[in-house]
Structures are given as C-alpha cells and as structure tokens.
Amino acid sequence: MRSHLKVKVFALAAEMTYIRRQEEKWKTKAKLARQRQRATADLSAQAKAISSQAYAENAFWSHRHHRYGLKGDARTSHLAYGCMRGIRYSQMESMCYGPLKGYGSSEPDWKSIESMVERFSKDETTPQEWMQKYAEWFAAAKVWYEGNTERIKTWQAQRLHEHQVKLADPVYQRWLAQYKFEMKQRYQKIN
C-alpha cells in the first residue's frame, strides 16, 4: 500500500537524521580526546586518550558508512513514493549532478523504483493501473534525466555571471572582507 511506502520514506529520513547526530557526537568525542592527548604529559593519560580517540573515530566511521548505505534506498523510496503520488520526476529532482561533480553516476536505479512501485501497489485495487502510471512516469523521467547535462551547464554559466557581478560590487567586497576577517578570528580562537 502507498501508505506503507510513505512510512518507509519517513522512517529512512528519521534514521539518517539520528545517525547524523550520532556522527557529530562521536566526532566531538574524538576531537576532545585529541586535545586531552596533546594537553597532558603523563604517558598513561596519553595512552588512555589515544584509546578513546580510536574508539570514537571507529564509531564515527561506522555510523558514516551506515548512513551512506541508506542513501540509495532512501532516494529510491522517495522517487517511488513520488511516482505513486503522481509527482513528476522533474519536480522531485530538478538537477542530478553526478559525474559533473565527480560523484560517479547519479542516475536513479530505475529497476529498484519499479520493483518498489510494484511491491507497494499489490494491495491496491488496480495494481496494473499503477504499473501503467509508472511506465508513463518513467518515460518522462528518462527524458528529463537525459537533459540534465544541458541544464547544469546553463545554470553554471548563470552562476558564474552572478559571481562576477558580485565581485564588481564594492558593497559585496566590504562584506566579504569583513566575513573573512571574522572567520580568521574564530579559527584562531579554536586552535
């Protein structure tokens, strides 16, 4: 049923949010352990700090890898749910950068989306109608995805032009200089 797919989408989002919080917690614990290690001259305290740092870093990376593993499933679930709700792919993902930013292929896993739509439409009154809707959605989505490269080039050219206009603006230059100065001060306070 479509409502079960909705629950799956929201559960995955909540799980990834919680994992991200845990990552931050373990990242902070590792940072504090490094600071304790540098601050003390006692060898046993340094060994304890190194041990707790290694544990915290291991926990952080474990959470990070788990969250990255969930990303593909979350995207597939989101797209399948959108398809079943009648939302066009172009509305859900206006741009997929993928190879343009060096992330490899960003093309959705169309087979997984199809199997998810099929799985969650079995209990509906007319499952064949849902698969027909998916086929129409997929055809339009494929056309939109193929045109992504041109849209991104246009967007990047527009962004470059806006950046050059900003650089010529003296008010922006003053703001940028102040911002860089504040960031430098903050960084010096941290370290």
Side-chain angles (χ1 to χ4, degrees):
M1 296 183 80
R2 195 169 73 178
S3 62
H4 295 300
L5 184 54
K6 181 179 181 179
V7 169
K8 181 175 182 163
V9 168
F10 284 101
L12 283 169
E15 182 178 1
M16 289 187 347
T17 300
Y18 182 75
I19 291 171
R20 198 174 304 111
R21 287 187 196 134
Q22 291 298 308
E23 285 177 27
E24 288 300 317
K25 178 181 96 171
W26 288 109
K27 188 175 172 181
T28 303
K29 286 186 177 190
K31 181 181 176 182
L32 293 173
R34 282 192 295 276
Q35 289 173 350
R36 277 195 311 270
Q37 178 189 357
R38 280 188 244 132
T40 185
D42 183 23
L43 292 178
S44 64
Q46 280 186 349
K48 186 177 178 183
I50 290 171
S51 173
S52 65
Q53 175 191 345
Y55 182 80
E57 287 175 354
N58 187 26
F60 168 80
W61 286 110
S62 173
H63 286 300
R64 172 68 56 99
H65 293 309
H66 179 61
R67 185 168 58 91
Y68 276 114
L70 291 175
K71 279 185 171 188
D73 194 26
R75 181 183 186 196
T76 300
S77 301
H78 172 73
L79 292 175
Y81 181 62
C83 171
M84 292 184 79
R85 287 186 59 210
I87 300 173
R88 294 188 316 269
Y89 174 73
S90 61
Q91 290 175 303
M92 290 188 284
E93 290 187 351
S94 58
M95 283 194 212
C96 297
Y97 295 100
L100 294 171
K101 280 198 170 182
Y103 296 134
S105 176
S106 68
E107 187 168 3
D109 188 356
W110 304 113
K111 292 289 182 189
S112 295
I113 296 169
E114 181 181 10
S115 66
M116 198 167 287
V117 169
E118 183 180 359
R119 178 177 149 208
F120 286 101
S121 66
K122 282 183 181 176
D123 294 335
E124 299 291 334
T125 55
T126 54
Q128 291 300 336
E129 188 177 307
W130 286 103
M131 294 314 294
Q132 178 63 32
K133 285 182 182 179
Y134 171 76
E136 294 166 3
W137 180 88
F138 172 68
K142 197 72 170 160
V143 169
W144 177 262
Y145 182 79
E146 297 299 328
N148 233 356
T149 311
E150 295 304 316
R151 279 190 300 283
I152 291 172
K153 287 178 185 174
T154 304
W155 178 76
Q156 287 175 336
Q158 178 186 1
R159 188 171 171 206
L160 179 63
H161 174 71
E162 289 173 0
H163 182 68
Q164 290 171 343
V165 168
K166 278 184 179 179
L167 290 178
D169 183 16
V171 174
Y172 178 76
Q173 288 300 319
R174 284 194 301 273
W175 174 84
L176 186 62
Q178 180 65 28
Y179 177 77
K180 286 180 179 179
F181 176 74
E182 288 174 5
M183 289 298 113
K184 185 177 180 181
Q185 294 298 323
R186 285 185 190 172
Y187 180 73
Q188 288 175 349
K189 284 181 185 177
I190 292 172
N191 292 326

